[in-house]
Amino acid sequence: MNAPNQKFSTIESEFLDFYFQANPVTATWIGIHDYDSRLPDYSKKAIAKRLQALKLFEEKCDGLDNRELEGYREIDLRILRHAIQEERFNTEKLRSYVWNPLTYIGTLGFAYESIAGYDFAPANERLVNLIGRLQATPEFLKKAQTNLDSMPKPHMDTGIKQVQGIIGFVEGGFPEVASSGTDDQKALLIAGIADAKSALKEFKLFLENRFENGPYKSFRLGKELFDEKLIFTLNEGISAAEVLARAEAELKFVQGEMVTVAEPLYKKWFGETPDLMSHDAQLGMVRKVFDRISDDRAERDEVVENAEATIEELNTFIKNSDILTLDPTKPLELRETPEYQRGVSIASLQAPGPLENNLPTYYNVSPIPVDWDDEKAESFLREYNKISVKILSIHEALPGHYVQLYYANRHPSIIRSVFGSGVMVEGWAHYTEDMMIDEGFGGGDPQYKLVERKWKLRGIANAILDHKIHAGEMTEEEAMNLMVHETFQEEAEASAKWRRAQLSSGQLSTYFVGFSLMWDLRRDVEEMRGNDFTLKSFHEELLSHGSIPIRYLREAMLSN
């Protein structure tokens, strides 16, 4: 190892130690278990100390010359420098800890689950640390109430529901670890649960009071803050204005593709030539075709089982089509989304950290809420019809997030694991939807192509929503028109996405940006390699670099 690499390794080690101490729940997920009994400290003193440390680490990174580093470490330095700058932005300018209650609720829910629900150590060891986190909960939530000032109503509404989910989780008594303790530890667990439950109920009352009486904050970030945040979120050298312009152009192009695919199906099913004289007429024809496709759907109580049934079909197709090499030693477990995580998306992948071995990866699927009436449930089931669920499982599981993450965890760089690129992660998953249909999944049935294009439209709409909601004044009516009329989403899905777009910012743009850049990269690699190009080698080489920005993948793959 040369001297610059050694110096960088020292900075990296010092920064990660600081970062894990400041973010103990993240550390648990990564596989660093030195801080498993702790919760983050959001006191003003701790935040000031964190900012001071970030500035110091940024200065240390600036003292290194990228060009002097050997191997993959040159890219690692750029990733680390960007991560430090993003942490400073989040702490100094975004400051979600003073207006977003979900910052605390999400941390707390995963703080418990990451200890109780993952068998990374003997149950009795995990029990001791769980007790520590339960005991720390009252102070953690007290600081949350001190910090939180004006809050957006959607965040409070969702927070109230999620806190109730955590209360239910805590009331379950953590059977995964509870029986492993001594009598004294069991007593401490019972006391810790009681104290945590009391603090959670108090926090829920705090949110309910604020929800009714204010003060309130707009859920919109505003153009200046959104534009700056998006640059950090994407890390691809692309501005918010460029993303919006490209997304709006792509929207029209994909709509045109869908009209071409849908027209023969319409003639076959409805026995007439459709009216295609106007934009609205074309969209109406496509909608009627989707309505017919959506007739093939699961029942209300079959949502999770329907998703589970697709996994083996995808597994077989990937192997037979030589898409890439799968790892049979990495277990995938489909389950209902924990209650404290619900209300943001229908499905997600929850993978163990890069330093954990042989722990399950959870494919989370949210069942239909019991309080939904039949009309709302019907809309949801039509959106996630049987073909659509297969596309969803491509994205979340095979060969999407699930496969990408276990490939990424093989890379020796911990920096790439801790500060992975959301654009690369979502871009890969979104790309695989398109790629799998192109390679013949669905047997050439045009219904699969049409449903996949609908998912592509969803990614495009996500980027438009993200920008126009947070950098503009898009209303709920305008958002619903974009999703329901222009991109063929069902009312229930669109309503949930409107809420998600209010709760988050930046992340919804990663799908479209990542998809576009991933296909740009593939076309360029194909052109460069000509007859030597194979899809399997392209995929495996791409994934071997870890979850890094696509612009760095371009450097690595097009320089060979």
Side-chain angles (χ1 to χ4, degrees):
M1 183 183 296
N2 67 10
N5 271 41
Q6 182 62 57
K7 186 176 181 181
F8 173 65
S9 292
T10 300
I11 295 171
E12 174 191 52
S13 178
E14 291 173 351
F15 177 78
L16 288 175
D17 187 49
F18 151 79
Y19 181 80
F20 291 140
Q21 287 189 58
N23 300 277
V25 178
T26 299
T28 299
W29 172 76
I30 291 292
I32 302 294
H33 296 294
D34 298 332
Y35 315 106
D36 281 354
S37 64
R38 302 184 195 176
L39 295 173
D41 185 353
Y42 283 102
S43 66
K44 291 182 179 179
K45 181 179 179 181
I47 290 169
K49 186 177 179 181
R50 190 178 309 165
L51 273 174
Q52 184 179 17
L54 288 169
K55 292 174 184 177
L56 178 61
F57 281 116
E58 187 173 358
E59 290 172 3
K60 289 183 176 182
C61 286
D62 289 342
L64 293 172
D65 187 340
N66 295 43
R67 296 166 298 182
E68 294 180 351
L69 296 178
E70 296 175 340
Y72 64 84
R73 303 299 269 165
E74 187 269 338
I75 288 177
D76 280 6
L77 172 57
R78 284 188 273 173
I79 292 172
L80 178 58
R81 183 183 287 120
H82 179 89
I84 293 169
Q85 292 169 345
E86 186 172 13
E87 281 288 304
R88 286 191 61 185
F89 166 78
N90 288 336
T91 306
E92 287 183 298
K93 294 187 177 181
L94 188 62
R95 303 179 74 236
S96 63
Y97 53 87
V98 302
W99 58 264
N100 187 357
L102 304 181
T103 299
Y104 300 93
I105 298 164
T107 297
L108 203 54
F110 192 59
Y112 300 152
E113 188 194 14
S114 61
I115 298 293
Y118 287 90
D119 296 327
F120 57 81
N124 61 323
E125 292 180 19
R126 291 184 288 122
L127 173 61
V128 171
N129 289 317
L130 175 63
I131 291 168
R133 285 186 171 173
L134 289 167
Q135 291 172 338
T137 297
E139 181 63 24
F140 178 77
L141 290 176
K142 185 183 296 183
K143 287 173 183 173
Q145 292 187 50
T146 300
N147 290 343
L148 290 167
D149 190 12
S150 301
M151 292 178 277
K153 294 195 80 171
H155 294 67
M156 288 189 279
D157 182 47
T158 302
I160 290 164
K161 294 181 176 70
Q162 290 187 350
V163 169
Q164 186 58 49
I166 298 179
I167 291 171
F169 184 35
V170 170
E171 286 177 335
F174 306 103
E176 304 91 340
V177 295
S179 62
S180 67
T182 64
D183 288 344
D184 287 346
Q185 288 170 338
K186 289 176 182 177
L188 287 172
L189 176 63
I190 291 170
I193 287 174
D195 289 345
K197 183 178 169 182
S198 177
L200 284 161
K201 287 184 174 181
E202 181 183 331
F203 189 62
K204 184 185 175 190
L205 287 172
F206 164 77
L207 292 179
E208 289 171 339
N209 179 62
R210 287 292 188 87
F211 184 80
E212 292 298 326
N213 302 304
Y216 305 116
K217 171 184 170 62
S218 172
F219 58 82
R220 305 180 196 274
L221 287 189
K223 186 178 188 307
E224 183 178 348
L225 195 60
F226 175 79
D227 287 359
E228 189 171 1
K229 182 181 180 184
L230 194 65
I231 289 172
F232 281 114
T233 299
L234 301 180
N235 192 16
E236 294 289 355
I238 303 173
S239 70
E242 290 175 287
V243 173
L244 180 62
R246 188 165 177 175
E248 291 184 323
E250 190 72 4
L251 176 70
K252 300 302 181 187
F253 178 78
V254 176
Q255 285 174 335
E257 286 186 314
M258 295 175 78
V259 170
T260 301
V261 175
E263 184 178 4
L265 290 170
Y266 184 93
K267 290 178 179 178
K268 175 183 176 181
W269 289 341
F270 299 102
E272 62 182 22
T273 300
D275 172 18
L276 301 177
M277 295 301 291
S278 68
H279 177 66
D280 284 349
Q282 291 173 357
L283 297 184
M285 182 271 292
V286 175
R287 166 62 74 180
K288 286 191 71 173
V289 172
F290 273 126
D291 286 344
R292 176 66 69 89
I293 293 172
S294 296
D295 287 341
D296 186 17
R297 60 191 184 277
E299 295 300 321
R300 180 175 183 140
D301 59 351
E302 296 174 346
V303 172
V304 177
E305 292 81 358
N306 189 33
E308 190 170 21
T310 67
I311 300 301
E312 187 55 40
E313 182 182 0
L314 291 170
N315 197 53
T316 299
F317 179 84
I318 290 166
K319 290 178 181 177
N320 292 344
S321 302
D322 222 19
I323 301 296
L324 45 64
T325 303
L326 298 175
D327 185 349
T329 69
K330 297 296 182 182
L332 176 65
E333 190 174 312
L334 189 143
R335 67 172 184 177
E336 292 187 6
T337 305
E339 280 195 53
Y340 74 87
Q341 294 180 14
R342 295 180 191 176
V344 179
S345 63
I346 175 61
S348 64
L349 196 86
Q350 190 170 317
L355 301 185
E356 302 287 13
N357 292 316
N358 301 318
L359 292 180
T361 295
Y362 293 119
Y363 177 16
N364 293 330
V365 179
S366 296
I368 293 178
V370 294
D371 60 350
W372 280 16
D373 60 28
D374 290 342
E375 182 179 356
K376 191 171 185 179
E378 172 76 4
S379 176
F380 177 90
L381 292 168
R382 294 185 69 82
E383 179 70 28
Y384 291 97
N385 57 70
K386 290 187 177 180
I387 294 178
S388 191
V389 166
K390 292 180 183 182
I391 306 299
L392 173 67
S393 295
I394 289 172
H395 181 106
E396 296 292 345
L398 292 159
H401 290 320
Y402 163 58
V403 174
Q404 186 269 320
L405 286 171
Y406 70 62
Y407 266 85
N409 286 350
R410 296 172 182 171
H411 197 281
S413 168
I414 191 171
I415 285 292
R416 299 184 184 203
S417 297
V418 178
F419 302 110
S421 164
V423 173
M424 187 275 167
V425 170
E426 294 298 351
W428 165 260
H430 206 21
Y431 155 84
T432 61
E433 301 162 17
D434 196 6
M435 176 273 297
M436 287 282 282
I437 303 303
D438 282 355
E439 292 304 306
F441 184 73
D445 185 342
Q447 295 180 72
Y448 280 75
K449 186 69 172 179
L450 198 61
V451 173
E452 181 276 315
R453 280 295 182 262
K454 178 179 172 179
W455 277 82
K456 185 175 181 182
L457 273 188
R458 181 186 296 194
I460 295 167
N462 283 350
I464 296 171
L465 288 169
D466 200 23
H467 186 102
K468 291 193 171 183
I469 287 173
H470 289 288
E473 295 292 333
M474 178 178 259
T475 65
E476 182 176 4
E477 182 180 359
E478 290 168 339
M480 293 296 286
N481 180 68
L482 172 65
M483 290 184 280
V484 175
H485 181 64
E486 296 288 337
T487 63
F488 312 108
Q489 297 176 49
E490 296 288 338
E491 290 278 349
E493 170 65 20
S495 179
K497 183 59 63 65
W498 165 249
R499 171 53 60 96
R500 179 179 172 185
Q502 293 173 298
L503 298 176
S504 67
S505 56
Q507 195 272 338
L508 283 176
S509 293
T510 61
Y511 301 90
F512 170 68
V513 173
F515 173 91
S516 301
L517 296 180
M518 195 69 73
W519 270 109
D520 289 347
L521 174 60
R522 175 173 159 179
R523 283 188 284 266
D524 290 345
V525 172
E526 280 191 86
E527 182 179 352
M528 182 183 75
R529 297 183 183 176
N531 293 333
D532 293 331
F533 178 88
T534 67
L535 195 60
K536 182 177 183 179
S537 63
F538 169 73
H539 289 157
E540 293 183 355
E541 180 184 351
L542 184 153
L543 296 178
S544 72
H545 293 285
S547 305
I548 64 174
I550 298 173
R551 59 174 170 169
Y552 299 156
L553 284 173
R554 292 187 69 84
E555 292 179 18
M557 298 182 72
L558 293 173
S559 63
N560 294 336

